[in-house]
Amino acid sequence: MKKLALILLIFPVAIGIIYLLRDPAPEVFHADYVGSQVCGDCHFINFAAWKQSPHHHIASEPGPDAFVANFSEGAFFIPEKHRKSRFDHLPAAKMYNRNGDYFMALRDIGADTYSEMKIDKVIGFQYRQTFLTKEGGGVLRRLPIQWSVPRNEFFAYWNEQEQSIHSVHDLWEQMKPLNSAWNLYCARCHTTNLEEHGKDRAHTQADVEWTELGVGCEVCHGPGSDHVEYMDDKPMNRLAAWLDQRFFDKQAPFIMNAAKQEKGVALSVCARCHGADIMRSRMHLYRNYRPGYDAHGKLNDLSPYFTEAELIPGRTIPTVEVWPDGRPKGLGTLFRSFADSKHYQETDMRCYDCHNPHDNKKPAAKGLLQPSVQSNQFCSDCHMDIVKNSGAHSKHKSGTEGSYCYDCHMPKNLLNQVSGVPHFVRSHNIGTIPNPLLSQRMGLENSPNACNECHADESPEWAVKHLREWGMDKHLIDQGLHLQRNASSDNVKH
């Protein structure tokens, strides 16, 4: 008993000494970037997960390990149906390597000669690879021929995206728009701490630098120099920080942790790159966003702008398309489909509840990224009464396709053309309910529904008939726009 009493006495005294000897850690701070390698010195488990993630590999220096594309004897030809020039039987572009360097040679307009461009950066690896060449003015210019991973071939991405006619002339033209200056336009989502020191209006001059290529630790956690200095060889600071986090649910000193922030602040990290459907006037704000505090000590928060841009039914702008029934369609509206849902607006659901934040291609827990017992269990945390008897609710036998929550409430209606193989991926609205009556009136090509997604050989009329037989008439509403296109329009209870 005496030993126990002594321990109980010593324990609070020790904690008191730790807090007495720790350095002060004000909540508001402004730090500098240090790079992910420094983070890995202490956070080696999360660092190892991140090292194999798409975020880490999204941008690379050219080298044997960087290329998925064929830079041995690669070539791209103008498709036969578009060939008009007497030289169009020749490759429009050749890809090769020489003495450890990599090149793309683009055929000159109306000639059989080629202009060689050295590859200075490689972007992407899992779906598509894009190649950049550095111009004299410092611009990293996006080259017009890219590599499709699933097709295992080079292709003219923008011609296919925009469904335009292929030609050598057009390939050269693709390197003239402002957005072809990669380090002045796209780099914000492929680098850590992009700093733009200077440029000209035509985007032919660029003075730009970054802390590291790829999406590093500090893209999500904010600049870490103060955190490193506070923790480095200071055991009392480390112990106090550990106690704060474990017993008082506080954030580690001088670093941002999304889990400790309000939902809008936390998901600003994701929305900055995955929430492409924004007003043009907000682009500068998104481009310069960093997790942490502004000059006035206020947390940087993009959430007021998540759903600000109008979803115009039938919009056809590539990557931010909208279905004629008003629902998001393009891959660039994936985050928007979530932010516009009741699951975002009325709950505390967050991206990393399902997606592993450090290895972003993996689920946060087994089975969460596909229709499964595990994903149904995740939904049951709130929808216990439904999931307990999923067969009765879904009208499909439990454990079979159609009985899982994702099958009906996360249909594959977002168009993904990134890889050169168009396909549909799951909406993140999460609460959408099939309305085949709207599909019947507007056509499946304008208003798809989850029933006919699986039963592709059946008609919308067939799906309407079954829903009526099941007593689900309240979901069969004949109006111009889909009820679950956003949270404010979602007025039918499940």
Side-chain angles (χ1 to χ4, degrees):
M1 289 294 294
K2 289 183 178 180
K3 287 183 178 180
L4 178 61
L6 185 62
I7 291 171
L8 292 175
L9 177 65
I10 292 174
F11 186 69
V13 171
I15 291 177
I17 292 173
I18 289 170
Y19 277 96
L20 183 65
L21 296 178
R22 78 177 296 180
D23 294 326
E27 181 180 348
V28 178
F29 64 94
H30 299 92
D32 297 318
Y33 287 81
V34 295
S36 299
Q37 190 63 49
V38 175
C39 307
D41 290 345
C42 294
H43 304 281
F44 48 86
I45 296 176
N46 288 339
F47 181 77
W50 168 80
K51 282 284 283 187
Q52 63 185 13
S53 73
H55 277 159
H56 171 57
H57 292 290
I58 195 66
S60 306
E61 300 289 347
D65 294 335
F67 287 96
V68 179
N70 175 13
F71 268 79
S72 296
E73 296 178 353
F76 169 76
F77 291 84
I78 298 294
E80 285 192 33
K81 63 180 179 180
H82 293 161
R83 293 179 186 176
K84 295 181 179 180
S85 164
R86 64 191 180 95
F87 299 110
D88 278 352
H89 66 287
L90 300 172
K94 299 177 182 179
M95 280 61 69
Y96 50 90
N97 65 82
R98 185 177 63 241
N99 300 326
D101 291 324
Y102 297 81
F103 302 90
M104 179 182 295
L106 197 60
R107 183 152 54 82
D108 299 316
I109 299 170
D112 59 359
T113 56
Y114 290 81
S115 294
E116 183 180 83
M117 289 163 280
K118 182 174 176 287
I119 306 300
D120 290 294
K121 294 288 185 290
V122 182
I123 311 302
F125 76 100
Q126 57 178 338
Y127 306 120
R128 181 180 92 234
Q129 280 200 317
T130 301
F131 314 104
L132 312 176
T133 188
K134 190 170 185 178
E135 298 176 344
V139 166
L140 282 168
R141 187 70 61 187
R142 183 190 67 225
L143 297 174
I145 303 302
Q146 304 185 24
W147 177 264
S148 168
V149 175
R151 285 163 51 175
N152 198 36
E153 66 179 2
F154 288 103
F155 74 125
Y157 170 75
W158 287 104
N159 292 100
E160 293 194 14
Q161 179 84 266
E162 298 169 355
Q163 298 182 13
S164 58
I165 295 175
H166 293 64
S167 71
V168 170
H169 177 269
D170 189 67
L171 295 178
W172 281 100
E173 288 296 306
Q174 289 177 32
M175 294 192 289
K176 293 181 179 179
L178 298 182
N179 66 4
S180 69
W182 183 87
N183 49 344
L184 294 176
Y185 200 84
C186 305
R188 70 180 180 89
C189 289
H190 297 79
T191 61
T192 301
N193 185 31
L194 178 74
E195 292 187 285
E196 188 179 286
H197 302 300
K199 64 180 180 180
D200 64 341
R201 290 178 62 87
H203 284 193
T204 60
Q205 303 287 323
D207 182 7
V208 176
E209 63 178 345
W210 45 73
T211 299
E212 63 181 308
L213 268 178
V215 178
C217 306
E218 293 163 296
V219 168
C220 300
H221 292 289
S225 63
D226 288 357
H227 177 75
V228 172
E229 183 179 350
Y230 186 83
M231 297 293 195
D232 192 29
D233 292 329
K234 296 174 182 175
M236 292 301 172
N237 288 352
R238 290 192 178 198
L239 285 169
W242 184 86
L243 291 168
D244 280 345
Q245 292 174 82
R246 292 297 179 273
F247 298 105
F248 303 108
D249 197 33
K250 290 185 178 181
Q251 182 167 269
F254 301 112
I255 203 72
M256 300 303 296
N257 182 342
K260 305 294 184 183
Q261 302 300 327
E262 292 293 323
K263 178 178 58 183
V265 172
L267 297 193
S268 294
V269 169
C270 309
R272 176 182 178 249
C273 293
H274 296 283
D277 187 31
I278 60 172
M279 303 284 286
R280 184 175 291 274
S281 60
R282 306 297 183 197
M283 288 181 67
H284 181 76
L285 185 65
Y286 271 59
R287 182 181 181 85
N288 291 284
Y289 165 84
R290 62 166 62 182
Y293 296 87
D294 64 16
H296 306 289
K298 183 180 178 182
L299 281 166
N300 293 319
D301 183 5
L302 299 176
S303 63
Y305 319 114
F306 286 176
T307 62
E308 178 185 39
E310 184 181 3
L311 282 176
I312 302 171
R315 185 170 66 192
T316 59
I317 301 171
T319 74
V320 290
E321 299 97 331
V322 180
W323 290 104
D325 69 7
R327 289 178 294 172
K329 179 182 179 181
L331 187 64
T333 64
L334 187 149
F335 181 86
R336 173 64 180 268
S337 74
F338 174 57
D340 247 340
S341 73
K342 280 193 172 183
H343 281 79
Y344 170 79
Q345 297 190 11
E346 296 183 6
T347 77
D348 195 42
M349 185 178 286
R350 306 181 178 203
C351 304
Y352 48 80
D353 289 337
C354 297
H355 298 273
N356 185 324
H358 296 109
D359 189 354
N360 57 297
K361 192 63 177 175
K362 292 184 177 180
K366 182 182 178 181
L368 283 188
L369 299 185
Q370 59 191 20
S372 65
V373 172
Q374 292 92 341
S375 58
N376 269 22
Q377 186 62 44
F378 175 82
C379 299
S380 75
D381 289 347
C382 294
H383 304 283
M384 180 73 74
D385 55 331
I386 292 175
V387 177
K388 275 197 304 185
N389 193 352
S390 62
H393 174 74
S394 67
K395 311 302 180 185
H396 292 72
K397 183 180 178 181
S398 294
T400 65
E401 190 174 3
S403 70
Y404 299 111
C405 305
Y406 290 10
D407 291 330
C408 295
H409 302 303
M410 291 185 70
K412 293 182 178 179
N413 60 20
L414 290 179
L415 179 61
N416 184 343
Q417 302 184 86
V418 167
S419 69
V421 179
H423 62 286
F424 287 95
V425 298
R426 294 192 184 279
S427 165
H428 280 51
N429 176 278
I430 302 174
T432 187
I433 301 172
N435 183 2
L437 187 64
L438 199 58
S439 304
Q440 180 180 320
R441 190 172 75 79
M442 301 182 70
L444 282 167
E445 71 279 8
N446 296 315
S447 181
N449 71 80
C451 304
N452 291 117
E453 179 185 309
C454 288
H455 301 278
D457 57 338
E458 302 288 356
S459 66
E461 290 80 5
W462 172 88
V464 168
K465 176 177 176 290
H466 277 278
L467 261 66
R468 283 189 168 140
E469 289 174 352
W470 294 335
M472 296 183 177
D473 294 68
K474 65 180 181 180
H475 302 310
L476 299 171
I477 298 176
D478 187 6
Q479 63 174 37
L481 297 172
H482 201 284
L483 278 175
Q484 284 83 44
R485 65 188 181 277
N486 58 50
S488 61
S489 68
D490 183 1
N491 54 18
V492 175
K493 300 295 183 184
H494 294 199

